[in-house]
Amino acid sequence: FHMLDIITRFFNRFEQVKYKITELMKNIAFKSLILLSIVVLSSFTMVDSFMGVKKILGEWDYSIPDAPYEYQKGVLVLKKTDGLLSGEMIIGGQASPMEEMVYEKNNLKAVMNVQGEIVNFDLNFTKKTLEGTVSYSQGTLDMKGTKK
């Protein structure tokens, strides 16, 4: 009779453990599904945002009329590097990389270090033109450009 009691307790405990494992598996499956959904949705967002970026890729002749003479004209080069937007400004044959680039809804914000001076760009793009401002320690200047 004692053995029957031990076997009954064993099976009751086994059922409890089985129930907890089942609940744990459901929880893991649910969390995995949520994670997978986030990954899939974010990949659509990344693809969608890069599709918008595609139209600004290329070379843009620009002018900043009120800038010091050597910085008044140049070429803005926007490209895809390792799947990300990258850019540089070619001023007098010298390329300076742009950093912290964020492109949303036809607007590009970026930062560039020009001989120790931090320059902030806020540019709006249409199909063939760009227009915006360049800010640095001495003030804010207008910038315009056309796609090559």
Side-chain angles (χ1 to χ4, degrees):
F1 185 72
H2 182 66
M3 188 61 141
L4 183 61
D5 191 38
I6 292 173
I7 292 172
T8 303
R9 275 195 235 157
F10 173 77
F11 280 111
N12 285 341
R13 188 71 183 139
F14 177 76
E15 286 298 317
Q16 289 173 351
V17 169
K18 187 172 110 180
Y19 176 76
K20 288 187 187 251
I21 289 173
T22 304
E23 288 302 306
L24 183 63
M25 295 298 282
K26 285 180 187 175
N27 194 4
I28 290 171
F30 180 69
K31 287 180 180 174
S32 296
L33 181 62
I34 288 175
L35 182 62
L36 179 63
S37 298
I38 290 170
V39 169
V40 168
L41 290 175
S42 66
S43 68
F44 284 131
T45 302
M46 288 167 59
V47 168
D48 186 42
S49 67
F50 197 80
M51 293 307 283
V53 165
K54 233 177 186 176
K55 66 183 168 191
I56 69 167
L57 298 180
E59 295 186 359
W60 299 78
D61 286 320
Y62 74 84
S63 67
I64 308 171
D66 298 327
Y69 178 76
E70 63 271 22
Y71 301 108
Q72 287 182 0
K73 293 186 183 296
V75 178
L76 170 62
V77 180
L78 299 173
K79 56 191 168 189
K80 179 180 170 182
T81 305
D82 297 326
L84 299 172
L85 177 63
S86 67
E88 62 186 9
M89 295 192 74
I90 301 172
I91 307 163
Q94 293 285 89
S96 296
M98 298 181 95
E99 300 170 354
E100 300 176 36
M101 298 180 73
V102 177
Y103 180 74
E104 286 182 347
K105 298 179 182 162
N106 299 323
N107 177 265
L108 174 67
K109 291 189 185 330
V111 176
M112 190 171 73
N113 185 329
V114 179
Q115 297 178 347
E117 178 81 35
I118 298 301
V119 180
N120 293 290
F121 294 84
D122 186 353
L123 305 173
N124 295 302
F125 289 81
T126 64
K127 200 171 196 173
K128 297 281 182 197
T129 65
L130 72 84
E131 198 171 293
T133 58
V134 177
S135 304
Y136 69 117
S137 65
Q138 303 299 309
T140 301
L141 306 172
D142 291 329
M143 179 173 170
K144 294 183 186 224
T146 54
K147 195 163 190 177
K148 280 188 163 191

